Amino acid sequence: MAGRLLQGQEIHTEVVPPFALLALDRRSPRFALQQDWLGMARVFEYSSQGVVALSNRPTLLPAFFGDPVRPDETGWSHYVASGHFGGTSSPVHGVRLLAPGERLTGEKRPDGTWNLTHHQRTSLDDFVAEGVGRQGGEHAALDEAADGFTRVAASAAALRDGPVALGLSGGKDSRLIAAALIAAGVLPKFSTNIDHPTEGDVARSLTDLLMKHRGIEVEHRFVRVAESRTVHTESLPHRVLRLQNYYDHQFPSSYLERGARPAQLTKKQGEPVFSGAGGEIATAYWYPKTLDGTPTAARMEPLVTKCLSKEVPADVQSPLVGERQRELGAHLTGKAAALGVEGYQILDYAYMMERMRRWCTSAYSVGLITPFTTREFVQAAFAMRATDHRDRRIHMDLLKRLVPEWADVPFASGPSSRSTAARIWDGDGVPEIRKMLDHAGGPLTGLMEADALREVVQRCEEGCPKPADAAPLRQFAALAIAESALRPPAPASSTTPPALASSTTPTLTTPTSSITSTTATASSASTTSPSWRARLRVPRRRGTSDAAAPERG
């Protein structure tokens, strides 16, 4: 595959995202780096001092050059409203994510420098345009979608000798993936999150039907992933810090309502696991309750912006956040219309380009497979019409083909049973967020309206929080900790190298960084940071002293 990439072939179109490949020909010498067609792989680019650097962790890029690691205002504005970094933005100023289908090639010159060229290759836009052009030929598109599902299932199972894993919920998407695996002769290990008990009831009924109709007995675990007793063993600031260090600020804040992430990146590759992410583009996920014909692009633009900004209410967002979201909504609506996408399906395009590409957690785990990002499924989704999506036509048609006994089992939709999961206001959540709010006012916390947040905190303190209050509290906690970690650099002293004076805030360590600071000590943080920040302690590598604590993971 690397050889084909160096020859200029479209090697990425048959691989499900996230996927990136760097091929180096030492004889020439030359290289080619290919981003996947959705732009989901975390490959970031940064330029400084005439040098281009690439990494999967955006904060490491400016640090590599000794440049200040500063927050990107546009990226964090998107994060406030949507829970992810929009477009090609990143948490760090000057660092961008490679775009869908982007290819970077380089050839070494005789003087030792490189001639770099960016190319636009096959991307999501091409698959969407092909799907739109096939409207009216839905049956053929469904046939190909079924083939794509079973192809991915069979090829993933061939990656290892043992069984693959699948989180089987009571919903639509994981059921269709499970059906594709079974139809392909692959028997997965199932696990079901029963924080919502109804999910477990529906999933159990599906596996019971396999035994009844096919005599298939499956391994099926039932787990609780967000129990309060396990989540609150660590303070909220520590959970935020762990999450941001582990994923370099990019993970959704909704995972703050789960246990703290490890202090070190894992070195062990897990078993292949299937994810149901992405099926939303065929189930009217972002559509309004009532469909009104085929709205024009001009009518759809405000709706696109609204869907992109669902994470927190508009009154909690600063005016700048609203402005950035409107710009992004207009851009996506215009691109979709130029591809021939009409009406409510513009929302499906926006979902793929933003929610799936930037929010979906599949981009951070090796071996996490997303069958709904097969080329065939995307084309089938855009070959259908909005009313087909409202009727879940693709899901129901494929279920009847693959495992028909599952087609009549009702889906679990929404919180149909009381959740046992921890909430952000549980434990020390509200007191800690109150302290963060008292120290707010920096470039990141200023992206949320303090008065509106105080009203949310007050409701929680009075014991009457609303379900919609969780997201603003999570987002604000993420901004407050990131604001401290990505603060402007302190002036370098005469005894401190400039490249190591980029932060005085200690953070948790990860094995991806070799940058250390002799000035980033716990004592220095306690005199320059708010009290909630000073209480955090930095784990040390064996054989290091407090004075040599690593600066950033």
Side-chain angles (χ1 to χ4, degrees), residues 134 156 176 196 198 218 223 230-231 234 253 314 331 367 386 392 501 538:
R134 299 177 64 179
L176 181 52
H196 283 284
T198 301
V218 299
V223 297
T230 58
V231 171
E234 300 279 1
S253 68
H331 172 70
R392 303 169 180 167
V538 186

Side-chain angles (χ1 to χ4, degrees), residues 189 210 244 380 394 434 444 524:
K189 296 189 301 182
L210 288 180
Q244 291 184 341
I394 294 180
R434 169 66 76 179
L444 296 188
S524 67

Side-chain angles (χ1 to χ4, degrees), residues 352-403:
M352 283 295 288
M353 282 293 290
E354 289 297 314
R355 189 75 171 176
M356 185 63 193
R357 185 170 69 95
R358 298 304 310 262
W359 185 91
C360 178
T361 59
S362 300
Y364 304 97
S365 300
V366 176
L368 194 56
I369 304 162
T370 53
F372 287 109
T373 59
T374 59
R375 170 180 54 82
E376 296 92 338
F377 182 83
V378 172
Q379 289 176 336
F382 285 92
M384 300 292 168
R385 304 188 185 278
T387 51
D388 294 325
H389 292 180
R390 173 54 56 84
D391 296 336
R392 303 169 180 167
R393 181 178 173 186
I394 294 180
H395 283 64
M396 297 310 300
D397 185 284
L398 296 186
L399 274 176
K400 290 174 182 177
R401 296 185 188 201
L402 300 171
V403 182

Side-chain angles (χ1 to χ4, degrees), residues 338-496:
L339 295 171
V341 183
E342 297 180 337
Y344 297 105
Q345 286 183 287
I346 293 176
L347 295 172
D348 300 323
Y349 177 80
Y351 187 94
M352 283 295 288
M353 282 293 290
E354 289 297 314
R355 189 75 171 176
M356 185 63 193
R357 185 170 69 95
R358 298 304 310 262
W359 185 91
C360 178
T361 59
S362 300
Y364 304 97
S365 300
V366 176
L368 194 56
I369 304 162
T370 53
F372 287 109
T373 59
T374 59
R375 170 180 54 82
E376 296 92 338
F377 182 83
V378 172
Q379 289 176 336
F382 285 92
M384 300 292 168
R385 304 188 185 278
T387 51
D388 294 325
H389 292 180
R390 173 54 56 84
D391 296 336
R392 303 169 180 167
R393 181 178 173 186
I394 294 180
H395 283 64
M396 297 310 300
D397 185 284
L398 296 186
L399 274 176
K400 290 174 182 177
R401 296 185 188 201
L402 300 171
V403 182
E405 59 266 34
W406 283 358
D408 295 326
V409 178
F411 299 111
S413 58
S416 52
S417 56
R418 185 176 180 82
S419 173
T420 61
R423 304 307 299 269
I424 191 70
W425 48 72
D426 293 337
D428 67 344
V430 173
E432 292 293 346
I433 291 173
R434 169 66 76 179
K435 294 173 187 176
M436 296 176 189
L437 193 54
D438 290 342
H439 291 92
L444 296 188
T445 52
L447 295 173
M448 300 184 74
E449 294 292 335
D451 290 341
L453 281 167
R454 289 189 181 94
E455 293 180 9
V456 173
V457 171
Q458 184 174 346
R459 278 198 297 271
C460 296
E461 290 173 335
E462 294 170 352
C464 51
K466 301 177 181 178
D469 290 339
L473 296 179
R474 294 193 306 257
Q475 296 296 80
F476 182 75
L479 292 177
I481 299 294
E483 187 170 76
S484 182
L486 301 176
R487 64 160 58 96
S493 70
S494 58
T495 59
T496 303

Side-chain angles (χ1 to χ4, degrees), residues 54-359:
L54 302 152
S55 176
N56 65 338
R57 294 180 69 87
T59 61
L60 293 185
L61 288 168
F64 173 79
F65 290 97
D67 295 342
V69 183
R70 295 184 289 123
D72 183 78
E73 184 182 72
T74 297
W76 284 100
S77 295
H78 294 318
Y79 186 88
V80 167
S82 60
H84 64 261
F85 294 88
T88 59
S89 68
S90 84
V92 183
H93 180 73
V95 178
R96 75 173 188 94
L97 182 73
L98 293 193
E102 185 172 355
R103 182 177 296 181
L104 175 63
T105 59
E107 295 184 0
K108 195 171 186 179
R109 302 187 183 102
D111 63 0
T113 61
W114 289 78
N115 180 36
L116 302 182
T117 307
H118 291 82
H119 314 261
Q120 180 59 60
R121 307 304 289 256
T122 303
S123 71
L124 171 67
D125 288 359
D126 298 292
F127 297 156
V128 168
E130 290 173 15
V132 170
R134 299 177 64 179
Q135 288 184 353
E138 295 90 345
H139 291 292
L142 285 169
D143 290 341
E144 292 184 9
D147 291 342
F149 262 90
T150 53
R151 172 177 58 83
V152 169
S155 63
L159 293 176
R160 61 180 287 126
D161 296 331
V164 296
L166 171 65
L168 181 64
S169 71
K172 305 171 288 296
D173 300 325
S174 64
R175 186 183 306 186
L176 181 52
I177 294 172
L181 288 167
I182 291 166
V186 178
L187 189 61
K189 296 189 301 182
F190 292 124
S191 64
T192 300
N193 175 7
I194 54 172
D195 286 335
H196 283 284
T198 301
E199 298 278 355
D201 295 338
V202 175
R204 185 179 288 107
S205 70
L206 298 176
T207 54
D208 288 346
L209 285 171
L210 288 180
M211 186 65 184
K212 178 180 178 181
H213 289 268
R214 301 172 185 246
I216 297 176
E217 185 174 359
V218 299
E219 181 181 340
H220 193 179
R221 294 188 309 121
F222 296 89
V223 297
R224 298 185 188 277
V225 300
E227 286 186 289
S228 181
R229 64 182 178 86
T230 58
V231 171
H232 295 120
T233 57
E234 300 279 1
S235 69
L236 174 62
H238 206 78
R239 296 202 309 274
V240 178
L241 189 64
R242 284 276 187 92
L243 189 74
Q244 291 184 341
N245 274 271
Y246 201 84
Y247 297 108
D248 217 24
H249 299 280
Q250 300 172 76
F251 223 60
S253 68
S254 55
Y255 283 76
L256 295 176
E257 295 175 329
R258 300 190 182 186
R261 298 303 301 163
Q264 296 276 331
L265 294 176
T266 180
K267 297 180 180 179
K268 181 181 179 181
Q269 181 177 335
E271 62 187 5
V273 178
F274 282 83
S275 167
E280 294 86 355
I281 64 168
T283 59
Y285 184 74
W286 270 359
Y287 290 13
K289 292 182 179 180
T290 302
L291 302 186
D292 181 17
T294 305
T296 63
R299 284 182 56 197
M300 289 302 303
E301 185 177 314
L303 188 54
V304 169
T305 301
K306 180 180 178 180
C307 289
L308 292 172
S309 308
K310 280 186 172 183
E311 194 70 14
V312 298
D315 65 322
V316 184
Q317 304 172 19
S318 74
L320 177 64
V321 171
E323 181 182 345
R324 292 291 179 265
Q325 291 300 99
R326 286 189 292 274
E327 291 171 355
L328 182 59
H331 172 70
L332 291 170
T333 302
K335 282 195 67 178
L339 295 171
V341 183
E342 297 180 337
Y344 297 105
Q345 286 183 287
I346 293 176
L347 295 172
D348 300 323
Y349 177 80
Y351 187 94
M352 283 295 288
M353 282 293 290
E354 289 297 314
R355 189 75 171 176
M356 185 63 193
R357 185 170 69 95
R358 298 304 310 262
W359 185 91

Side-chain angles (χ1 to χ4, degrees), residues 25-83:
D25 183 354
R26 295 183 182 275
R27 296 168 299 177
S28 301
R30 61 191 176 117
F31 76 87
L33 171 64
Q34 179 65 58
Q35 169 68 293
D36 65 59
W37 54 262
L38 184 55
M40 196 175 184
R42 296 305 186 250
V43 182
F44 294 93
E45 182 185 54
Y46 180 79
S47 300
S48 179
Q49 305 168 39
V51 177
V52 173
L54 302 152
S55 176
N56 65 338
R57 294 180 69 87
T59 61
L60 293 185
L61 288 168
F64 173 79
F65 290 97
D67 295 342
V69 183
R70 295 184 289 123
D72 183 78
E73 184 182 72
T74 297
W76 284 100
S77 295
H78 294 318
Y79 186 88
V80 167
S82 60

